[in-house]
Amino acid sequence: MLTQSALDPARAVYDQIVPAGEPWMREILKGQYFRILDLEGNQAADTLFYNAHDYDDRYSAQDTIREQANIYLTTGTKLMSSKGNVLLTIVADTCGRHDTLGGACATESNMVRYAIDKRHMHACRQSFVKAVLDWNHVRVGRRFSGAALDKRDITHNINFFMNVPVTPDGKLTFEDGVSAPGKYVEMRAEMDVLAVISNCPQLNNPCNAYNPTPVRVLIWDPTS
Ligand SMILES: [Zn+2]
């Protein structure tokens, strides 16, 4: 469902470009608004969310799909956690739908899906691992945080802006993106959350038009 946001980027409390292929990680406080903007179009922003106070309580694709009875994510979708909490709600979406079935690319899946010599290529799973291991240094001494994160904590993800349609007979296909330059998705945090993005470096499938590009992330306070 296409919906615009009334929030003004000039009033954002945080505004950052995530370069193509790079990870990004930050806490988003309850009530804050979080926007991911596809700067050049057809970029996949692979994203994980955790309860900022309990990292065992994390985004669950299964619970999200079952609760909303729909496989695509868009305006109105409540992003559910593994312990049944609403982490965030999508409040604006100018792209139309986002995937949570396709998973994140990995060196192992690159090898299986494309060719043995693709194994060395940078993949989202490595960006996620790098981000959470770096976070283990950042989180020390913070006001709140969960236990240390490692590779086992990287589970279900959302592929914002990624087009993974399911055919009438249930086939899953990876197609050219439906996003375009300037399209965005915006969420309201329903609790304090920790967000991790892998701005997908994939060069072997059309999820990002074979051309990884930057995305922009913005955060607003509730009063903005
Ligand atoms: Zn990827």
Side-chain angles (χ1 to χ4, degrees):
M1 193 166 59
L2 298 179
T3 37
Q4 308 262 355
S5 168
L7 293 174
D8 177 1
R11 302 193 62 174
V13 294
Y14 179 86
D15 186 349
Q16 185 77 41
I17 304 287
V18 183
E22 291 293 315
W24 174 93
M25 191 159 184
R26 193 176 178 87
E27 283 160 344
I28 302 161
L29 302 179
K30 181 178 179 179
Q32 285 186 322
Y33 291 83
F34 173 49
R35 182 185 298 181
I36 307 174
L37 190 146
D38 188 1
L39 284 166
E40 298 183 29
N42 287 349
Q43 177 59 19
D46 292 44
T47 305
L48 303 167
F49 292 111
Y50 301 85
N51 174 343
H53 303 265
D54 172 12
Y55 299 156
D56 288 339
D57 187 24
R58 64 196 54 171
Y59 174 71
S60 165
Q62 279 180 336
D63 291 282
T64 299
I65 289 167
R66 188 191 61 246
E67 285 301 307
Q68 67 167 359
N70 197 301
I71 53 174
Y72 303 122
L73 312 185
T74 187
T75 309
T77 298
K78 294 181 188 326
L79 304 177
M80 302 296 297
S81 76
S82 51
K83 294 187 180 178
N85 293 307
V86 181
L87 295 164
L88 308 98
T89 304
I90 299 179
V91 293
D93 179 15
T94 62
C95 176
R97 71 180 196 206
H98 308 268
D99 167 67
T100 196
L101 298 173
C105 61
T107 54
E108 295 85 353
S109 64
N110 279 347
M111 187 177 66
V112 170
R113 293 178 62 190
Y114 308 112
I116 195 106
D117 64 2
K118 306 292 188 191
R119 184 166 195 164
H120 72 282
M121 294 177 76
H122 180 190
C124 280
R125 183 158 293 265
Q126 292 166 303
S127 286
F128 283 146
V129 170
K130 180 180 188 308
V132 302
L133 294 181
D134 287 348
W135 185 257
N136 287 333
H137 302 288
V138 173
R139 74 188 178 85
V140 173
R142 294 182 78 78
R143 189 156 52 90
F144 54 81
S145 73
L149 289 161
D150 68 24
K151 192 174 182 182
R152 283 174 298 185
D153 296 300
I154 296 161
T155 60
H156 304 182
N157 70 288
I158 298 168
N159 294 307
F160 285 115
F161 310 113
M162 191 162 151
N163 185 25
V164 184
V166 175
T167 66
D169 55 351
K171 285 203 164 52
L172 194 65
T173 61
F174 288 70
E175 303 290 343
D176 279 342
V178 290
S179 188
K183 300 226 175 190
Y184 61 81
V185 58
E186 190 174 292
M187 292 150 267
R188 182 180 60 238
E190 308 295 2
M191 56 199 299
D192 298 333
V193 298
L194 178 62
V196 191
I197 294 173
S198 164
N199 194 16
C200 185
Q202 180 60 258
L203 293 169
N204 299 294
N205 92 35
C207 68
N208 51 18
Y210 307 96
N211 176 35
T213 51
V215 297
R216 181 179 174 191
V217 290
L218 302 101
I219 298 172
W220 287 263
D221 280 336
T223 49
S224 297

